[in-house]
Amino acid sequence: MSIFHNVPNRIGTRSVKWDLVKNLYGSDEILPMWVADMDFSAPEAVTTALSERAKHGVFGYTFTDLKIHKSITNWINDRHGWEVSPSSLYYSPGVVTTLHMAVQALTKAEDAILIQTPIYPPFYDIVESHGRKLVTNSLLLKNNRYEIDFDDFEEKLKQGVKAFILCNPHNPVGRVWTQNELKRMAELCLQYDVMIFSDEIHADLIYKGSKHIPIASLSERTDHATITCMSPTKTFNLAGLQVSYAVISDKEKRDAISAFSKTQGIMMLNTMGITALEAAYTDGENWLEGLMETLENNKTLVNKAFENRSEIDIIDAEGTYLLWMDCRNMGFPHEDLKKFMQEKAKVGLNDGITFGKEGEGFMRMNIACPSAVVEDGLDRIITALDQYRQ
């Protein structure tokens, strides 16, 4: 599809990624390859549905009905083989919002909550901003692939952890956890009576050779212990429309989160978000296939660019459109690495250390853009590396 080859002009659209470049990096010469949205137009089915809804001209209070519920449950069943009841759905503006609600509604001050680091930066705030105790289970990098330290995982759960925030596919390291890994985590959480808050927002963005498995789909007991957070926003580039949902089979947990959300004034989705969700899940599959072909190609471009270079290792992503770059062989202190990427390469990447101390010496690259943009970013980095070596 030409939509994945055209380079859109997003400047002047109040784009966080493009219009804040100078504010964030100190120069408007920086190529932004950081924040997790895509430089692709949404599916035509979505833009058409939004246009038709806009033509109506009335944007009053809007509710979700059985048709919306079924568009979600059909999508989850068709893509992930998980049969979900419409009655188990809870809606919110975003996955991060849902996680904040879950932490506040289902845990108490000083309760311990475990995360697996390096991890998406808001996870730290989700735990600490509500007076909960942060517990970390550092992932292990072995042969350019991250694994779970299950001995440490279990030891941390034994210490009284109340909830575990899972990220699957994992942001930033790109792992899509296998069935065996998920089963082991689920078994340990059930053994130690730990709730699972599972961020699965990247569930549809899976590369060949991997398969996303919702952890709640493993067993009825796991399902009742889990809150599964999903959204079409990452899949179809709809982040600005702020629409998400969670699958919460346990009625007591669902009611508790819903009740708490109301105390925070979160009671309904916006009209356009609902419209986009339905259109994407009903008629967006062909677009998604084109997207994944483009991402596979972009991932290959990056891997090939660095395969014969010693300075940077690319952690092979199994899911997401975010690549985790191991830059430790460059031998720079982390602040110097940041300066190199900004001032020498003039590429705006995510600072690895914001994902936790395990991210020191790493950067995160967003490849959800036309291949020409990826090639530009790679040329900038490699040219800067060559100039540095001279």
Side-chain angles (χ1 to χ4, degrees), residues 169-225:
H170 191 281
N171 175 10
V173 308
R175 277 300 315 278
V176 175
W177 303 116
T178 65
Q179 184 167 20
N180 286 340
E181 289 168 323
L182 292 168
K183 283 179 68 175
R184 183 64 179 143
M185 286 189 283
E187 288 167 356
L188 288 169
C189 287
L190 292 173
Q191 179 180 344
Y192 294 102
D193 195 24
V194 175
M195 291 178 289
I196 302 170
F197 303 159
S198 188
D199 174 356
E200 302 186 16
I201 196 170
H202 293 277
D204 300 317
L205 303 171
I206 308 297
Y207 296 108
K208 293 173 184 176
S210 297
K211 177 179 174 56
H212 177 76
I213 302 170
I215 192 169
S217 69
L218 295 177
S219 71
E220 185 174 350
R221 285 187 67 207
T222 305
D223 189 17
H224 280 270

Short mmCIF file of all heavy atoms in Angstrom, two decimals, residues 169-225:
data_model
loop_
_atom_site.label_atom_id
_atom_site.label_comp_id
_atom_site.label_asym_id
_atom_site.label_seq_id
_atom_site.Cartn_x
_atom_site.Cartn_y
_atom_site.Cartn_z
N PRO A 169 3.45 -7.86 24.37
CA PRO A 169 4.89 -7.84 24.12
C PRO A 169 5.60 -6.77 24.96
O PRO A 169 5.00 -5.76 25.30
CB PRO A 169 4.99 -7.52 22.63
CG PRO A 169 3.69 -7.97 22.05
CD PRO A 169 2.69 -7.68 23.12
N HIS A 170 6.85 -7.05 25.26
CA HIS A 170 7.56 -6.21 26.21
C HIS A 170 8.15 -4.97 25.54
O HIS A 170 8.79 -5.04 24.50
CB HIS A 170 8.70 -7.00 26.86
CG HIS A 170 9.31 -6.31 28.03
ND1 HIS A 170 10.23 -5.29 27.89
CD2 HIS A 170 9.13 -6.46 29.37
CE1 HIS A 170 10.58 -4.86 29.09
NE2 HIS A 170 9.93 -5.55 30.00
N ASN A 171 7.89 -3.85 26.17
CA ASN A 171 8.43 -2.54 25.76
C ASN A 171 9.43 -2.10 26.82
O ASN A 171 9.03 -1.92 27.98
CB ASN A 171 7.28 -1.54 25.66
CG ASN A 171 7.71 -0.13 25.35
OD1 ASN A 171 8.86 0.13 25.02
ND2 ASN A 171 6.77 0.81 25.48
N PRO A 172 10.74 -2.03 26.51
CA PRO A 172 11.32 -1.81 25.19
C PRO A 172 12.02 -3.00 24.55
O PRO A 172 12.52 -2.86 23.43
CB PRO A 172 12.37 -0.74 25.49
CG PRO A 172 12.91 -1.15 26.83
CD PRO A 172 11.71 -1.68 27.58
N VAL A 173 12.15 -4.17 25.22
CA VAL A 173 13.09 -5.17 24.71
C VAL A 173 12.51 -6.01 23.58
O VAL A 173 13.24 -6.80 22.96
CB VAL A 173 13.63 -6.08 25.84
CG1 VAL A 173 14.18 -5.24 26.98
CG2 VAL A 173 12.59 -7.08 26.32
N GLY A 174 11.21 -5.89 23.30
CA GLY A 174 10.62 -6.53 22.14
C GLY A 174 10.32 -8.01 22.28
O GLY A 174 9.96 -8.66 21.29
N ARG A 175 10.44 -8.58 23.49
CA ARG A 175 10.11 -9.99 23.66
C ARG A 175 8.59 -10.20 23.58
O ARG A 175 7.80 -9.43 24.13
CB ARG A 175 10.61 -10.51 25.01
CG ARG A 175 12.05 -10.93 25.09
CD ARG A 175 12.41 -12.06 24.13
NE ARG A 175 11.43 -13.14 24.11
CZ ARG A 175 11.38 -14.15 25.00
NH1 ARG A 175 12.28 -14.22 25.97
NH2 ARG A 175 10.46 -15.08 24.90
N VAL A 176 8.22 -11.31 22.94
CA VAL A 176 6.85 -11.83 23.00
C VAL A 176 6.96 -13.10 23.82
O VAL A 176 7.53 -14.10 23.37
CB VAL A 176 6.30 -12.13 21.59
CG1 VAL A 176 4.92 -12.77 21.67
CG2 VAL A 176 6.23 -10.84 20.77
N TRP A 177 6.47 -13.04 25.03
CA TRP A 177 6.70 -14.15 25.97
C TRP A 177 6.04 -15.43 25.45
O TRP A 177 4.92 -15.43 24.96
CB TRP A 177 6.19 -13.80 27.36
CG TRP A 177 6.81 -12.55 27.91
CD1 TRP A 177 6.19 -11.39 28.22
CD2 TRP A 177 8.22 -12.32 28.18
NE1 TRP A 177 7.09 -10.44 28.67
CE2 TRP A 177 8.34 -10.98 28.66
CE3 TRP A 177 9.37 -13.09 28.07
CZ2 TRP A 177 9.56 -10.43 29.01
CZ3 TRP A 177 10.59 -12.54 28.42
CH2 TRP A 177 10.68 -11.23 28.89
N THR A 178 6.76 -16.54 25.56
CA THR A 178 6.26 -17.83 25.07
C THR A 178 5.22 -18.40 26.02
O THR A 178 5.06 -17.94 27.17
CB THR A 178 7.41 -18.84 24.95
OG1 THR A 178 7.94 -19.11 26.28
CG2 THR A 178 8.52 -18.30 24.05
N GLN A 179 4.54 -19.43 25.56
CA GLN A 179 3.53 -20.07 26.40
C GLN A 179 4.16 -20.62 27.68
O GLN A 179 3.59 -20.48 28.77
CB GLN A 179 2.83 -21.18 25.65
CG GLN A 179 1.69 -21.83 26.45
CD GLN A 179 0.81 -22.71 25.59
OE1 GLN A 179 1.21 -23.15 24.53
NE2 GLN A 179 -0.40 -22.96 26.04
N ASN A 180 5.33 -21.22 27.57
CA ASN A 180 5.99 -21.77 28.77
C ASN A 180 6.37 -20.66 29.75
O ASN A 180 6.21 -20.82 30.98
CB ASN A 180 7.23 -22.57 28.37
CG ASN A 180 6.88 -23.91 27.76
OD1 ASN A 180 5.78 -24.42 27.95
ND2 ASN A 180 7.81 -24.48 27.00
N GLU A 181 6.87 -19.56 29.24
CA GLU A 181 7.22 -18.44 30.11
C GLU A 181 5.99 -17.87 30.79
O GLU A 181 6.00 -17.58 32.00
CB GLU A 181 7.94 -17.35 29.31
CG GLU A 181 9.35 -17.75 28.88
CD GLU A 181 9.94 -16.80 27.86
OE1 GLU A 181 9.20 -16.30 26.98
OE2 GLU A 181 11.17 -16.55 27.92
N LEU A 182 4.92 -17.71 30.02
CA LEU A 182 3.69 -17.17 30.59
C LEU A 182 3.10 -18.13 31.63
O LEU A 182 2.62 -17.70 32.69
CB LEU A 182 2.67 -16.92 29.47
CG LEU A 182 3.02 -15.79 28.50
CD1 LEU A 182 2.11 -15.83 27.29
CD2 LEU A 182 2.93 -14.42 29.19
N LYS A 183 3.13 -19.42 31.33
CA LYS A 183 2.60 -20.41 32.28
C LYS A 183 3.37 -20.38 33.59
O LYS A 183 2.77 -20.46 34.67
CB LYS A 183 2.66 -21.81 31.67
CG LYS A 183 1.58 -22.09 30.64
CD LYS A 183 1.71 -23.49 30.06
CE LYS A 183 1.41 -24.55 31.10
NZ LYS A 183 1.42 -25.92 30.51
N ARG A 184 4.68 -20.27 33.50
CA ARG A 184 5.49 -20.24 34.72
C ARG A 184 5.19 -18.99 35.54
O ARG A 184 5.04 -19.06 36.77
CB ARG A 184 6.98 -20.28 34.35
CG ARG A 184 7.92 -20.33 35.54
CD ARG A 184 7.73 -21.59 36.35
NE ARG A 184 8.65 -21.65 37.48
CZ ARG A 184 8.35 -22.14 38.68
NH1 ARG A 184 7.14 -22.62 38.91
NH2 ARG A 184 9.24 -22.16 39.64
N MET A 185 5.08 -17.83 34.87
CA MET A 185 4.74 -16.60 35.60
C MET A 185 3.36 -16.71 36.23
O MET A 185 3.15 -16.33 37.39
CB MET A 185 4.81 -15.39 34.66
CG MET A 185 6.22 -14.97 34.30
SD MET A 185 6.30 -13.39 33.40
CE MET A 185 5.79 -13.91 31.77
N ALA A 186 2.41 -17.24 35.47
CA ALA A 186 1.03 -17.37 35.99
C ALA A 186 0.98 -18.32 37.17
O ALA A 186 0.32 -18.03 38.19
CB ALA A 186 0.11 -17.85 34.88
N GLU A 187 1.67 -19.44 37.06
CA GLU A 187 1.68 -20.43 38.16
C GLU A 187 2.23 -19.83 39.44
O GLU A 187 1.70 -20.03 40.53
CB GLU A 187 2.49 -21.65 37.75
CG GLU A 187 1.80 -22.53 36.71
CD GLU A 187 2.74 -23.55 36.09
OE1 GLU A 187 3.96 -23.52 36.42
OE2 GLU A 187 2.28 -24.37 35.27
N LEU A 188 3.31 -19.08 39.31
CA LEU A 188 3.92 -18.46 40.49
C LEU A 188 3.01 -17.39 41.08
O LEU A 188 2.88 -17.28 42.31
CB LEU A 188 5.28 -17.87 40.13
CG LEU A 188 6.39 -18.89 39.86
CD1 LEU A 188 7.61 -18.21 39.26
CD2 LEU A 188 6.77 -19.62 41.15
N CYS A 189 2.36 -16.61 40.23
CA CYS A 189 1.44 -15.59 40.74
C CYS A 189 0.26 -16.22 41.46
O CYS A 189 -0.17 -15.73 42.51
CB CYS A 189 0.96 -14.69 39.59
SG CYS A 189 2.22 -13.54 39.00
N LEU A 190 -0.26 -17.31 40.92
CA LEU A 190 -1.38 -18.01 41.59
C LEU A 190 -0.90 -18.63 42.91
O LEU A 190 -1.60 -18.58 43.91
CB LEU A 190 -1.94 -19.09 40.67
CG LEU A 190 -2.67 -18.59 39.41
CD1 LEU A 190 -3.03 -19.75 38.51
CD2 LEU A 190 -3.92 -17.81 39.80
N GLN A 191 0.30 -19.19 42.89
CA GLN A 191 0.85 -19.82 44.10
C GLN A 191 0.98 -18.82 45.24
O GLN A 191 0.70 -19.15 46.41
CB GLN A 191 2.20 -20.45 43.79
CG GLN A 191 2.87 -21.12 44.99
CD GLN A 191 4.21 -21.73 44.62
OE1 GLN A 191 4.53 -21.92 43.44
NE2 GLN A 191 5.02 -22.04 45.63
N TYR A 192 1.39 -17.59 44.92
CA TYR A 192 1.63 -16.59 45.96
C TYR A 192 0.52 -15.52 46.04
O TYR A 192 0.70 -14.49 46.66
CB TYR A 192 3.00 -15.94 45.74
CG TYR A 192 4.14 -16.91 45.92
CD1 TYR A 192 4.79 -17.47 44.81
CD2 TYR A 192 4.54 -17.33 47.19
CE1 TYR A 192 5.82 -18.38 44.96
CE2 TYR A 192 5.57 -18.25 47.35
CZ TYR A 192 6.21 -18.77 46.24
OH TYR A 192 7.23 -19.69 46.40
N ASP A 193 -0.61 -15.83 45.41
CA ASP A 193 -1.80 -14.96 45.47
C ASP A 193 -1.48 -13.54 45.01
O ASP A 193 -1.75 -12.56 45.71
CB ASP A 193 -2.37 -14.95 46.89
CG ASP A 193 -3.78 -14.39 46.94
OD1 ASP A 193 -4.47 -14.43 45.91
OD2 ASP A 193 -4.18 -13.89 48.01
N VAL A 194 -0.90 -13.44 43.83
CA VAL A 194 -0.51 -12.16 43.25
C VAL A 194 -1.41 -11.86 42.04
O VAL A 194 -1.53 -12.70 41.14
CB VAL A 194 0.97 -12.17 42.80
CG1 VAL A 194 1.34 -10.88 42.09
CG2 VAL A 194 1.87 -12.41 44.01
N MET A 195 -2.02 -10.70 42.02
CA MET A 195 -2.81 -10.29 40.86
C MET A 195 -1.89 -9.95 39.69
O MET A 195 -0.75 -9.50 39.89
CB MET A 195 -3.67 -9.07 41.20
CG MET A 195 -4.78 -9.32 42.19
SD MET A 195 -5.70 -7.80 42.57
CE MET A 195 -4.48 -6.91 43.57
N ILE A 196 -2.39 -10.13 38.47
CA ILE A 196 -1.63 -9.81 37.27
C ILE A 196 -2.34 -8.68 36.53
O ILE A 196 -3.50 -8.81 36.15
CB ILE A 196 -1.51 -11.04 36.34
CG1 ILE A 196 -0.86 -12.21 37.08
CG2 ILE A 196 -0.73 -10.67 35.09
CD1 ILE A 196 -0.93 -13.52 36.31
N PHE A 197 -1.64 -7.58 36.36
CA PHE A 197 -2.12 -6.47 35.54
C PHE A 197 -1.32 -6.52 34.25
O PHE A 197 -0.13 -6.17 34.24
CB PHE A 197 -1.92 -5.12 36.23
CG PHE A 197 -2.58 -5.00 37.59
CD1 PHE A 197 -2.14 -4.05 38.50
CD2 PHE A 197 -3.64 -5.82 37.95
CE1 PHE A 197 -2.75 -3.92 39.75
CE2 PHE A 197 -4.24 -5.71 39.20
CZ PHE A 197 -3.80 -4.75 40.10
N SER A 198 -1.93 -6.97 33.16
CA SER A 198 -1.18 -7.26 31.94
C SER A 198 -1.41 -6.20 30.87
O SER A 198 -2.51 -6.03 30.37
CB SER A 198 -1.59 -8.63 31.40
OG SER A 198 -0.77 -9.01 30.33
N ASP A 199 -0.33 -5.49 30.53
CA ASP A 199 -0.35 -4.50 29.46
C ASP A 199 -0.06 -5.23 28.15
O ASP A 199 1.07 -5.62 27.89
CB ASP A 199 0.71 -3.43 29.74
CG ASP A 199 0.87 -2.42 28.61
OD1 ASP A 199 0.21 -2.58 27.57
OD2 ASP A 199 1.66 -1.47 28.77
N GLU A 200 -1.09 -5.39 27.32
CA GLU A 200 -0.95 -6.10 26.05
C GLU A 200 -1.31 -5.20 24.88
O GLU A 200 -1.87 -5.63 23.87
CB GLU A 200 -1.79 -7.38 26.09
CG GLU A 200 -1.39 -8.30 27.24
CD GLU A 200 -2.05 -9.66 27.27
OE1 GLU A 200 -2.62 -10.07 26.23
OE2 GLU A 200 -1.99 -10.32 28.33
N ILE A 201 -0.96 -3.92 25.00
CA ILE A 201 -1.32 -2.94 23.98
C ILE A 201 -0.66 -3.22 22.64
O ILE A 201 -1.17 -2.86 21.58
CB ILE A 201 -1.01 -1.50 24.46
CG1 ILE A 201 -1.76 -0.48 23.59
CG2 ILE A 201 0.48 -1.24 24.47
CD1 ILE A 201 -1.71 0.94 24.12
N HIS A 202 0.50 -3.91 22.64
CA HIS A 202 1.20 -4.22 21.39
C HIS A 202 0.86 -5.62 20.87
O HIS A 202 1.56 -6.15 20.00
CB HIS A 202 2.72 -4.14 21.61
CG HIS A 202 3.23 -2.76 21.90
ND1 HIS A 202 3.51 -1.84 20.92
CD2 HIS A 202 3.50 -2.14 23.07
CE1 HIS A 202 3.94 -0.71 21.47
NE2 HIS A 202 3.95 -0.88 22.77
N ALA A 203 -0.23 -6.21 21.36
CA ALA A 203 -0.54 -7.61 21.07
C ALA A 203 -0.68 -7.93 19.59
O ALA A 203 -0.43 -9.07 19.16
CB ALA A 203 -1.83 -8.01 21.80
N ASP A 204 -1.11 -6.96 18.79
CA ASP A 204 -1.34 -7.22 17.37
C ASP A 204 -0.10 -7.01 16.52
O ASP A 204 -0.11 -7.32 15.32
CB ASP A 204 -2.45 -6.30 16.84
CG ASP A 204 -3.77 -6.50 17.57
OD1 ASP A 204 -4.12 -7.67 17.81
OD2 ASP A 204 -4.43 -5.50 17.90
N LEU A 205 0.97 -6.50 17.11
CA LEU A 205 2.18 -6.15 16.37
C LEU A 205 3.25 -7.21 16.61
O LEU A 205 4.22 -7.01 17.34
CB LEU A 205 2.66 -4.76 16.79
CG LEU A 205 1.61 -3.65 16.62
CD1 LEU A 205 2.09 -2.35 17.28
CD2 LEU A 205 1.29 -3.42 15.15
N ILE A 206 3.07 -8.35 15.97
CA ILE A 206 3.91 -9.52 16.20
C ILE A 206 4.60 -9.92 14.90
O ILE A 206 3.96 -10.04 13.86
CB ILE A 206 3.07 -10.71 16.72
CG1 ILE A 206 2.22 -10.29 17.92
CG2 ILE A 206 3.97 -11.89 17.06
CD1 ILE A 206 3.00 -9.86 19.13
N TYR A 207 5.92 -10.16 14.97
CA TYR A 207 6.67 -10.54 13.79
C TYR A 207 6.59 -12.04 13.53
O TYR A 207 6.23 -12.83 14.41
CB TYR A 207 8.13 -10.11 13.94
CG TYR A 207 8.29 -8.60 14.02
CD1 TYR A 207 8.64 -7.98 15.22
CD2 TYR A 207 8.07 -7.80 12.91
CE1 TYR A 207 8.78 -6.60 15.30
CE2 TYR A 207 8.19 -6.42 12.98
CZ TYR A 207 8.54 -5.83 14.18
OH TYR A 207 8.66 -4.46 14.26
N LYS A 208 6.93 -12.41 12.30
CA LYS A 208 6.89 -13.82 11.91
C LYS A 208 7.75 -14.66 12.85
O LYS A 208 8.84 -14.26 13.24
CB LYS A 208 7.39 -13.96 10.47
CG LYS A 208 6.47 -13.32 9.44
CD LYS A 208 7.10 -13.35 8.06
CE LYS A 208 6.22 -12.62 7.04
NZ LYS A 208 6.85 -12.54 5.70
N GLY A 209 7.24 -15.82 13.20
CA GLY A 209 7.97 -16.71 14.09
C GLY A 209 7.57 -16.60 15.55
O GLY A 209 7.99 -17.42 16.37
N SER A 210 6.77 -15.59 15.88
CA SER A 210 6.31 -15.42 17.26
C SER A 210 4.78 -15.38 17.27
O SER A 210 4.14 -15.14 16.25
CB SER A 210 6.86 -14.13 17.87
OG SER A 210 8.27 -14.18 17.95
N LYS A 211 4.21 -15.61 18.43
CA LYS A 211 2.76 -15.61 18.58
C LYS A 211 2.39 -14.99 19.92
O LYS A 211 2.96 -15.36 20.95
CB LYS A 211 2.21 -17.04 18.51
CG LYS A 211 0.70 -17.16 18.74
CD LYS A 211 0.25 -18.60 18.64
CE LYS A 211 -1.22 -18.76 19.02
NZ LYS A 211 -2.13 -17.89 18.24
N HIS A 212 1.47 -14.04 19.89
CA HIS A 212 1.01 -13.45 21.14
C HIS A 212 -0.02 -14.34 21.80
O HIS A 212 -0.99 -14.77 21.16
CB HIS A 212 0.41 -12.06 20.91
CG HIS A 212 -0.12 -11.46 22.18
ND1 HIS A 212 0.70 -10.93 23.14
CD2 HIS A 212 -1.39 -11.36 22.67
CE1 HIS A 212 -0.02 -10.51 24.16
NE2 HIS A 212 -1.29 -10.76 23.90
N ILE A 213 0.18 -14.59 23.09
CA ILE A 213 -0.77 -15.37 23.88
C ILE A 213 -1.19 -14.51 25.07
O ILE A 213 -0.36 -14.18 25.92
CB ILE A 213 -0.13 -16.68 24.40
CG1 ILE A 213 0.36 -17.53 23.22
CG2 ILE A 213 -1.13 -17.45 25.27
CD1 ILE A 213 1.20 -18.72 23.65
N PRO A 214 -2.47 -14.12 25.16
CA PRO A 214 -2.91 -13.40 26.36
C PRO A 214 -2.73 -14.29 27.58
O PRO A 214 -3.18 -15.44 27.59
CB PRO A 214 -4.40 -13.14 26.07
CG PRO A 214 -4.54 -13.24 24.58
CD PRO A 214 -3.54 -14.30 24.17
N ILE A 215 -2.08 -13.77 28.60
CA ILE A 215 -1.80 -14.62 29.76
C ILE A 215 -3.08 -15.10 30.42
O ILE A 215 -3.15 -16.22 30.94
CB ILE A 215 -0.89 -13.88 30.78
CG1 ILE A 215 -0.35 -14.88 31.83
CG2 ILE A 215 -1.59 -12.69 31.41
CD1 ILE A 215 0.75 -14.31 32.71
N ALA A 216 -4.13 -14.29 30.35
CA ALA A 216 -5.41 -14.68 30.97
C ALA A 216 -6.05 -15.87 30.28
O ALA A 216 -6.91 -16.55 30.86
CB ALA A 216 -6.37 -13.50 30.98
N SER A 217 -5.64 -16.14 29.03
CA SER A 217 -6.25 -17.24 28.28
C SER A 217 -5.71 -18.60 28.69
O SER A 217 -6.21 -19.64 28.24
CB SER A 217 -6.02 -17.04 26.78
OG SER A 217 -4.66 -17.21 26.43
N LEU A 218 -4.71 -18.63 29.57
CA LEU A 218 -4.07 -19.90 29.92
C LEU A 218 -4.94 -20.81 30.76
O LEU A 218 -4.90 -22.03 30.62
CB LEU A 218 -2.75 -19.63 30.66
CG LEU A 218 -1.65 -18.94 29.86
CD1 LEU A 218 -0.44 -18.68 30.75
CD2 LEU A 218 -1.26 -19.76 28.64
N SER A 219 -5.74 -20.24 31.65
CA SER A 219 -6.60 -21.06 32.52
C SER A 219 -7.66 -20.17 33.15
O SER A 219 -7.52 -18.94 33.19
CB SER A 219 -5.78 -21.73 33.62
OG SER A 219 -5.33 -20.78 34.58
N GLU A 220 -8.70 -20.78 33.66
CA GLU A 220 -9.77 -20.02 34.31
C GLU A 220 -9.25 -19.31 35.55
O GLU A 220 -9.60 -18.16 35.82
CB GLU A 220 -10.93 -20.94 34.67
CG GLU A 220 -12.13 -20.21 35.23
CD GLU A 220 -13.33 -21.11 35.45
OE1 GLU A 220 -13.30 -22.27 34.99
OE2 GLU A 220 -14.31 -20.66 36.10
N ARG A 221 -8.39 -19.98 36.31
CA ARG A 221 -7.83 -19.36 37.51
C ARG A 221 -6.98 -18.15 37.16
O ARG A 221 -7.06 -17.11 37.82
CB ARG A 221 -6.99 -20.37 38.30
CG ARG A 221 -7.79 -21.42 39.06
CD ARG A 221 -6.85 -22.24 39.92
NE ARG A 221 -6.26 -21.44 40.98
CZ ARG A 221 -5.08 -21.71 41.54
NH1 ARG A 221 -4.34 -22.72 41.11
NH2 ARG A 221 -4.61 -20.95 42.51
N THR A 222 -6.15 -18.29 36.12
CA THR A 222 -5.32 -17.17 35.70
C THR A 222 -6.20 -16.02 35.20
O THR A 222 -5.93 -14.84 35.49
CB THR A 222 -4.36 -17.60 34.58
OG1 THR A 222 -3.60 -18.72 35.02
CG2 THR A 222 -3.41 -16.47 34.21
N ASP A 223 -7.24 -16.36 34.47
CA ASP A 223 -8.17 -15.35 33.95
C ASP A 223 -8.75 -14.51 35.09
O ASP A 223 -8.80 -13.28 35.01
CB ASP A 223 -9.29 -16.05 33.18
CG ASP A 223 -10.18 -15.09 32.41
OD1 ASP A 223 -9.77 -13.93 32.20
OD2 ASP A 223 -11.28 -15.50 32.02
N HIS A 224 -9.17 -15.16 36.16
CA HIS A 224 -9.79 -14.44 37.27
C HIS A 224 -8.78 -13.64 38.09
O HIS A 224 -9.16 -12.71 38.81
CB HIS A 224 -10.56 -15.42 38.17
CG HIS A 224 -11.89 -15.79 37.61
ND1 HIS A 224 -13.04 -15.09 37.88
CD2 HIS A 224 -12.25 -16.75 36.73
CE1 HIS A 224 -14.06 -15.61 37.22
NE2 HIS A 224 -13.60 -16.63 36.52
N ALA A 225 -7.50 -13.96 37.93
CA ALA A 225 -6.46 -13.21 38.65
C ALA A 225 -5.92 -12.05 37.83
O ALA A 225 -5.13 -11.26 38.33
CB ALA A 225 -5.32 -14.15 39.03
#
